[in-house]
């Protein structure tokens, strides 16, 4: 508390606070620390009862000897650092682990991992996407650090919707196939003549004209059939990229013909070329929703084309893995390979020097560069990336769509508002054709994740943790900040709209000091998408720091209306700037009158004791229920400075009426005008007065100086201890309180003589000290 003493005058003051900026340097992880990564995963749902890690099944007419990727490496397990939460981690392809090729178990070549996990769509589990309804899922994904060789993060993960006849046994190729797309099955063929020259002759490259890779239709047959895939390709798969990765050789040499005079052999591999671009190749006319895709402005400069531009840290795009039109064989003779140093003894040289050399690329929708690597957030390594995926059915003549929002929030629940430059948010709406699912039973299709690694020595795992799944609950949460003093509503949308204006309004997200604020955390259970109620919802809310909180209430709502607000915390409870509370269940699957939404409203006043405008960072709020985990965060806003001051204006002199020494009056009146004003700006105040008495030389006056607020109030006797005279509340505009304005002969400052004692004749004088301070008791 600061005090100001004066007989009269104007007083100013200011408060200076120094703020510290965190200049911590980002941490770097040079190799995968698997236990640490999994241990720091956001809390997820137990998916062990709702997903299958099925045994791989060959596609129709597919031969085991022609296909090396026949082992599903996925597993659902419990983190070693999170033993109480079982079945919450899905590992699609673990770092450094490989399996022997099923096509040739006798050779020593190992293949990197590839895996798939599919939802259980039976009536008991009910974890299906109904393509006739809007459906939303969310998942956290890990790809790798982005450190080391450019290929170490390879290959990637796909979120796939499918109606493959193999069901949970469906899986596509490894490497660039990411467990969803097909296998290009390229072959390098050699021949030799027997008993000529040396004892067994010498192997020479085949000069025949037969294709070196499968046809587009053959590749499509090895993919997940009847499917749509949102691909998160964490490795560049392009023949013309400067950072291209050498074609992985798969199964060693395999004999294909033996005779008395000659024999042949081949080596099977993938050209790793699905991202190779060629602007001269036209998109097939039968590509699904081709016209709608090209008219979709949100898909950038290349909404649909062969290959992708291939950013160093990953690409997100959409493909139809099981369809022939997804793949295109392009002549290597027309491609300038990235690295001529491979030499004449390399497979690249052979393929490029023969007109029969081909490579396969893929048509991709909405290919966009993305950060599929670790990031830094608040000075710490950030491993996990959030994805919200929504299926939107066809309606009113519009095609079906998928909507995705990647990196939409951080693991602590904060919305991504640009707090980390290497954690860029990517969001798109992509038109799709549901006929690709080939008439699924009751519109139900499998959904799940696939993933794969490459053959590098230090590749990174592909891991996922689910936040909401279709078998359980779909819920939505959002936060709104309302300045009740000005009527302004601050949201992320208002911030974004302001930023996009040619002349942004600097006050769009600004609140004044001491403005009354209300933070509304709205939770809504989605009755259209949810199959279960949202139970045991634990609210874990971090509040903005520069608000003086007064209370928190909760109001539940159902279709019949809402209950009255119930106070759940007071200002003291909220002094730590946190709120923990268990919310009643939301949903109406078992009770048609059950609550379906709730609003937690936290009230307070904006506080800024600095000499500059301060910015309030986004603060997360997480709501963990048994069947869904949702989070939100407050919008970034600013609090204006507090240009507060107190001004005290008081008359220098005051005279009271003269009396006879035997007066019988109770109070002596003032005989001169007196001014007593307090002017404030954003300051609550208390006015006090004190005196040491009235004297004529050494003779004191027999009586007291008193103050009466009005003629009905009890007198306040003034002495050497300051006595409270008046108080005032803070306002946002200059406000002057004229305390002496309405004084009359019976109130205000008066003299109260002691009629039982005599004061000798003479002039009595004294001093009166006024004190105003910036607080109210």
């Amino acid at each position: 508390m600061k005090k100001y003493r004066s007989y009269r005058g104007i007083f100013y003051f200011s408060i200076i606070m120094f703020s510290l900026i965190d200049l911590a340097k980002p941490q770097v992880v040079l190799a995968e620390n698997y236990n640490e990564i999994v241990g720091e995963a956001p809390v997820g749902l137990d998916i062990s009862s709702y997903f299958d890690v099925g045994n791989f099944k060959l596609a129709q007419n597919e031969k085991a000897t022609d296909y090396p990727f026949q082992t599903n490496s996925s597993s659902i397990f419990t983190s070693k650092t999170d033993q109480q939460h079982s079945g919450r981690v899905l590992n699609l392809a673990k770092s450094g682990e490989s399996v022997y090729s099923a096509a040739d178990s006798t050779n020593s070549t190992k293949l990197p991992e590839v895996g798939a996990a599919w939802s259980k769509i039976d009536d008991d589990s009910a974890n299906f996407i109904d393509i006739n309804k809007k459906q939303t899922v969310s998942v956290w994904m890990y790809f790798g650090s982005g450190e080391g060789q450019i290929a170490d993060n390879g290959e990637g993960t796909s979120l796939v919707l499918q109606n493959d006849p193999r069901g949970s046994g469906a899986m596509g190729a490894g490497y660039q196939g990411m467990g969803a797309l097909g296998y290009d099955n390229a072959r390098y063929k050699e021949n030799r003549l027997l008993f000529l020259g040396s004892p067994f002759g010498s192997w020479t490259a085949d000069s025949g004209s037969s294709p070196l890779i499968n046809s587009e239709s053959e590749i499509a047959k090895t993919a997940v059939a009847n499917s749509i895939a949102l691909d998160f390709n964490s490795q560049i798969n392009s023949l013309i990229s400067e950072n291209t990765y050498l074609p992985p050789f798969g199964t060693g040499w395999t004999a294909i013909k033996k005779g008395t005079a000659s024999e042949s052999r081949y080596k099977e591999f993938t050209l790793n070329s699905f991202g190779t671009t060629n602007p001269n190749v036209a998109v097939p006319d039968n590509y699904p929703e081709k016209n709608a895709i090209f008219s979709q402005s949100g898909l950038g400069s290349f909404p649909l084309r062969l290959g992708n531009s291939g950013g160093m840290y990953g690409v997100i795009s959409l493909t139809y893995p099981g369809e022939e039109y997804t793949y295109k064989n392009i002549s290597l003779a027309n491609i300038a390979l990235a690295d001529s140093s491979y030499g004449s003894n390399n497979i690249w040289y052979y393929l490029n020097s023969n007109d029969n050399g081909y490579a396969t690329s893929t048509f991709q929708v909405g290919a966009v560069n993305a950060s599929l690597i670790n990031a830094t957030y608040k000075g710490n390594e950030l491993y996990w990336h959030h994805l919200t995926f929504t299926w939107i059915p066809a309606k009113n003549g519009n095609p079906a769509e998928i909507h995705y929002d990647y990196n939409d929030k951080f693991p602590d629940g904060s919305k991504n508002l640009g707090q980390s430059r290497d954690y860029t948010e990517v969001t798109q709406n992509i038109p799709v054709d549901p006929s690709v699912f080939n008439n699924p039973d009751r519109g139900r299709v499998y959904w799940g994740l696939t993933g794969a690694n490459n053959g590098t020595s230090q590749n990174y795992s592909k891991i996922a943790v689910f936040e909401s799944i279709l078998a359980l609950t779909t819920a939505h949460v959002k936060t709104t900040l309302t300045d009740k003093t000005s009527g302004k509503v601050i949201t992320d949308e208002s911030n974004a709209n302001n930023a996009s204006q040619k002349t942004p309004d600097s006050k769009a997200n600004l609140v004044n000091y001491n403005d009354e604020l209300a933070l509304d955390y709205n939770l809504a259970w989605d009755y259209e998408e949810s199959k279960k109620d949202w139970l045991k919802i634990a609210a874990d809310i971090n509040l903005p720091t520069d608000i003086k909180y007064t209370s928190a209430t909760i109001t539940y709502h159902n279709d019949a209306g809402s209950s009255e607000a119930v106070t759940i915390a007071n200002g003291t409870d909220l002094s730590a700037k946190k709120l923990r509370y268990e919310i009643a269940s939301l949903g109406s699957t078992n009770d048609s009158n059950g609550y379906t939404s709730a609003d937690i409203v936290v009230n307070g006043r904006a506080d800024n004791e600095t000499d500059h405008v301060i910015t309030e960072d986004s603060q997360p709020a997480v709501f963990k229920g048994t069947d869904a985990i949702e989070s939100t965060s407050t919008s970034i806003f600013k609090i204006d400075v507090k240009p507060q001051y107190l001004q005290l204006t008081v008359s220098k002199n005051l005279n009271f009426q003269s009396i006879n020494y035997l007066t019988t009056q109770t109070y002596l009146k003032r005989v001169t005008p007196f001014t007593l004003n307090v002017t404030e700006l954003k300051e609550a105040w208390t006015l006090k007065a004190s005196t040491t008495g009235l004297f004529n030389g050494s003779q004191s006056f027999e009586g007291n100086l008193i103050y009466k607020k009005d003629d009905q109030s009890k007198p306040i006797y003034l002495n050497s201890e300051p006595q409270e005279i008046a108080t005032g509340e803070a306002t946002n505009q200059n406000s002057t309180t004229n305390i002496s304005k309405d004084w009359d002969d019976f109130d205000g400052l008066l003299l109260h003589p002691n009629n039982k004692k005599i004061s000798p004749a003479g002039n009595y004088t004294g001093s009166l000290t006024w004190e105003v301070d910036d607080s109210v008791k």
Side-chain angles (χ1 to χ4, degrees), residues 189-205:
K189 186 179 178 183
E190 290 186 339
N191 305 301
R192 69 174 178 176
L193 296 175
L194 301 179
F195 309 112
L196 295 176
S198 60
F200 298 104
S202 60
W203 290 104
T204 58

Side-chain angles (χ1 to χ4, degrees), residues 215-432:
S215 66
E216 291 94 342
S217 61
E218 290 173 319
I219 295 173
K221 290 177 182 177
T222 63
V224 177
N226 306 327
S227 66
I228 299 176
L230 184 63
D231 301 319
F232 297 83
N233 194 333
S234 54
Q235 178 183 318
I236 297 173
N237 303 116
S238 171
L239 297 182
I240 59 177
S241 168
E242 292 181 358
N243 295 300
T244 192
Y245 174 55
L246 287 172
F249 284 73
T251 60
W253 291 105
T254 302
I256 57 176
K257 179 182 178 183
K258 289 186 178 181
T260 58
S262 66
E263 64 180 345
S264 301
R265 67 178 183 179
Y266 69 85
K267 180 171 282 189
E268 188 177 41
F269 59 94
T270 170
L271 280 174
N272 206 52
S273 55
F274 279 180
T276 304
T277 57
N278 189 329
N280 298 319
V281 178
V283 177
D285 291 336
N286 64 334
Y287 200 92
E289 301 298 346
K290 176 180 177 180
N291 293 334
I293 290 170
F294 277 108
S295 65
Q296 175 62 271
S297 60
L299 294 178
S301 302
F302 302 100
L304 171 58
R305 70 171 180 179
L306 189 70
N308 59 63
S309 57
M312 284 186 64
Y313 301 115
V315 173
I316 303 175
S317 64
L318 181 136
T319 57
Y320 294 86
E323 305 304 319
E324 180 179 345
Y325 49 67
T326 294
Y327 307 93
K328 180 64 177 178
N329 291 346
I330 51 179
S331 172
L332 289 173
N334 297 322
I335 296 177
L337 295 181
D339 192 346
S340 59
S341 64
Y342 293 146
S344 59
N345 293 325
N346 191 277
I347 185 69
W348 294 91
Y349 176 85
Y350 169 72
L351 292 176
N352 195 37
S353 62
N354 290 270
D355 290 338
N356 63 345
Y358 289 88
T360 304
S361 188
T362 56
F363 286 100
Q364 302 176 23
V365 182
V368 59
N369 292 348
S371 298
L372 307 184
I373 58 171
N374 293 356
T376 54
Y377 179 55
K378 297 181 178 179
N380 297 315
E381 187 85 358
L382 191 156
Y383 305 114
W384 294 90
H385 301 263
H386 189 263
L387 172 71
T388 301
F389 175 93
T390 302
W391 169 265
I392 303 172
K395 189 176 182 180
N396 299 327
N398 296 317
E401 289 185 334
I402 67 161
H403 171 80
Y404 75 87
D405 199 341
Y406 173 77
N407 278 349
D408 51 341
K409 61 183 177 181
F410 294 96
D412 66 0
S414 298
K415 286 173 286 190
N416 187 355
L417 303 175
Q419 300 97 312
S420 176
R421 65 182 182 181
D422 48 1
Y423 199 78
T424 305
E425 183 177 10
V426 179
T427 181
Q428 288 185 340
N429 276 66
I430 302 178
V432 294

Side-chain angles (χ1 to χ4, degrees), residues 134-213:
K134 182 181 177 183
Q135 311 266 266
T136 302
V137 298
S138 60
V139 62
W140 293 96
M141 297 187 292
Y142 167 77
F143 302 99
S145 75
E147 299 292 333
Q149 300 181 43
I150 190 64
D152 286 347
N153 266 43
E155 294 281 347
T157 301
S158 295
L159 190 152
V160 185
L161 281 59
Q162 56 102 338
N163 185 36
D164 192 305
R166 295 176 292 174
S168 60
M171 191 171 71
Y175 292 120
Q176 63 186 345
M178 295 180 288
L181 292 158
Y183 182 47
D184 63 12
N185 198 24
R187 286 178 171 84
Y188 173 37
K189 186 179 178 183
E190 290 186 339
N191 305 301
R192 69 174 178 176
L193 296 175
L194 301 179
F195 309 112
L196 295 176
S198 60
F200 298 104
S202 60
W203 290 104
T204 58
D206 183 11
S207 59
S209 59
S210 60
L212 295 171
I213 60 173

Side-chain angles (χ1 to χ4, degrees), residues 11 87 257 273 289 304 314 329 332 423 459 547 549 587 591 621 681 688 756:
F11 299 88
K257 179 182 178 183
S273 55
E289 301 298 346
L304 171 58
N329 291 346
L332 289 173
Y423 199 78
N459 53 37
I547 297 178
Y549 295 101
D591 180 1
L681 174 62
K688 297 178 182 180
K756 295 181 180 181

Side-chain angles (χ1 to χ4, degrees), residues 539-561:
D540 188 351
I541 301 173
N542 289 340
L543 298 168
T545 56
D546 292 294
I547 297 178
K548 291 182 178 179
Y549 295 101
T550 55
S551 66
T553 63
I554 188 166
T555 304
Y556 294 99
H557 310 270
N558 58 22
D559 293 339

